[in-house]
Amino acid sequence: MDILYDNKYHLHLGFYEDNCDYESIAFKRQSKDIWDIFFDFKGYGIKNITPESELTLGPFGTRIFSIYNKEIEYDNGVQQFKQWLSINKII
């Protein structure tokens, strides 16, 4: 089953501290209150650490995590992205 995303809803989540410049993009699923967060490992020259079977969307990268909520607040999304970057030793 393919996941469909709502073209009207996406959000860029960035981490720009300590001389870092990383960005991910969140897409809202059409039929569920779920936002999938994608990161372009190749664009940053970082080895993809996700399972090979993880969803990848062309130029946006690979899904790294999801936020289960109808709405996503920028600050909360950035905090979760920063935490993901830290846990995976990217920052």
Side-chain angles (χ1 to χ4, degrees):
M1 177 173 76
D2 290 336
I3 297 174
L4 298 176
Y5 293 101
D6 191 327
N7 292 334
K8 297 180 286 189
Y9 299 104
H10 76 277
L11 181 65
H12 295 263
L13 304 172
F15 177 75
Y16 312 110
E17 300 172 17
D18 304 323
N19 294 321
C20 294
D21 187 356
Y22 294 112
E23 191 170 287
S24 61
I25 187 164
F27 289 105
K28 168 79 172 66
R29 292 190 193 182
Q30 275 187 358
S31 59
K32 296 183 180 178
D33 291 337
I34 300 173
W35 292 77
D36 290 332
I37 316 308
F38 292 84
F39 183 72
D40 184 8
F41 289 92
K42 187 176 179 180
Y44 289 104
I46 298 172
K47 182 179 184 258
N48 189 334
I49 55 174
T50 63
E52 223 175 275
S53 61
E54 189 57 72
L55 178 63
T56 298
L57 289 180
F60 306 112
T62 303
R63 181 172 52 195
I64 55 174
F65 64 91
S66 298
I67 297 175
Y68 297 82
N69 206 346
K70 183 175 184 174
E71 300 292 326
I72 185 173
E73 291 189 23
Y74 178 77
D75 291 338
N76 183 37
V78 167
Q79 188 61 34
Q80 289 188 48
F81 179 49
K82 179 180 177 181
Q83 183 179 19
W84 179 87
L85 289 167
S86 179
I87 288 169
N88 289 287
K89 297 178 177 31
I90 295 171
I91 58 170

